[in-house]
Amino acid sequence: MAVACRRSSCPPRRAPRRPCGVFGNIPDDDVHRTIDALPQFCARDATVIWTRHRGPPDLTPTIRGWFAGTGFVELGFESTVAEAPRPGAFPAQFVGAHRWPRDPEALELGKRLFTFFR
């Protein structure tokens, strides 16, 4: 999932000025369902870029495993900050990139992928 700098529910003048990715704002089961569905939306060699915090519970190792289990190839996984966060600062975000090495799968119509909870 791409990094989104504004939440669609925020007016432009009041939108947060911090990274907010889809995988940090939907239930864990929906993250898994979305990853499983991504081959339907990816052309061969497409790159999926996603973000997630590593606060408890740290789901990033599981997310990386879900991508691998679906058939994606990991291209990278990095922190958005080079130093330890200050107390009270917005926590570091981690960015992953995975490549889809095959042709797209057939699209399943009418399937819910995720629900935002923030």
Side-chain angles (χ1 to χ4, degrees), residues 28-67:
D28 297 351
D29 289 342
D30 287 3
V31 173
H32 193 184
R33 181 177 20 264
T34 300
I35 292 168
D36 283 348
L38 284 173
Q40 299 173 54
F41 302 99
C42 293
R44 178 181 292 273
D45 295 326
T47 299
V48 175
I49 300 170
W50 58 274
T51 61
R52 173 75 182 208
H53 63 83
R54 292 192 79 176
D58 182 3
L59 193 65
T60 60
T62 303
I63 291 172
R64 294 167 78 188
W66 288 336
F67 271 103

Side-chain angles (χ1 to χ4, degrees), residues 44-111:
R44 178 181 292 273
D45 295 326
T47 299
V48 175
I49 300 170
W50 58 274
T51 61
R52 173 75 182 208
H53 63 83
R54 292 192 79 176
D58 182 3
L59 193 65
T60 60
T62 303
I63 291 172
R64 294 167 78 188
W66 288 336
F67 271 103
T70 303
F72 283 86
V73 176
E74 186 170 272
L75 300 175
F77 181 72
E78 300 289 332
S79 173
T80 59
V81 295
E83 57 188 53
R86 302 177 318 279
F90 187 71
Q93 297 289 304
F94 287 76
V95 179
H98 288 78
R99 183 177 57 84
W100 178 246
R102 299 191 277 277
D103 289 333
E105 295 180 356
L107 182 62
E108 292 181 51
L109 298 176
K111 185 176 179 181

